Amino acid sequence: MSYEKEMEDRIANGEFGNPKKPDLQMVNRAWAELMEREVSNRGRKSVYHGICSVWADNGKVLLSGRTQEEITVPEGVKVLVLRREPEPGTRQPDASIVYVTYED
């Protein structure tokens, strides 16, 4: 979700008072917090946490796979589908689904 969309949703949900006339100081503080979080993540090492591998499916499903253990994906993290180049004739996955956190 983009920061702009996140802020639009927060305003619409009344987090900053009346959605038609939100408290601009509260909105500005929220924007500052979002930008601070973005800047603090820059330059930090990304940590990729595997969710599952996925394989191409010839049916109506584009890709399918199963998790191997219970996984909790933290709210607000980036989720990626990483395409792979499997060797022909192997059962290697076509892609992996991961979420990204950052080292402190």
Side-chain angles (χ1 to χ4, degrees):
M1 175 185 299
S2 72
Y3 292 127
E4 183 176 357
K5 175 73 171 124
E6 179 180 340
M7 287 301 292
E8 287 173 359
D9 290 347
R10 291 171 69 180
I11 290 168
N13 290 331
E15 184 176 331
F16 309 112
N18 182 340
K20 293 185 180 190
K21 190 171 181 177
D23 182 322
L24 293 181
Q25 287 184 336
M26 292 174 71
V27 171
N28 287 339
R29 273 192 299 259
W31 269 114
E33 289 169 7
L34 284 173
M35 293 303 100
E36 178 64 32
R37 186 174 73 203
E38 174 66 23
V39 169
S40 71
N41 286 336
R42 291 187 180 174
R44 293 168 54 192
K45 182 178 177 187
S46 300
V47 179
Y48 296 88
H49 304 273
I51 297 173
C52 71
S53 296
V54 289
W55 287 262
D57 188 339
N58 293 327
K60 291 184 178 185
V61 175
L62 179 61
L63 299 169
S64 65
R66 296 186 187 275
T67 59
Q68 300 298 311
E69 59 190 44
E70 186 171 325
I71 297 170
T72 302
V73 178
E75 179 180 351
V77 297
K78 186 179 288 189
V79 177
L80 303 172
V81 177
L82 303 174
R83 182 178 34 204
R84 300 188 180 263
E85 299 291 333
E87 293 182 27
T90 67
R91 296 204 24 88
Q92 294 174 336
D94 296 296
S96 294
I97 300 174
V98 301
Y99 68 91
V100 184
T101 59
Y102 300 92
E103 279 187 353
D104 290 331

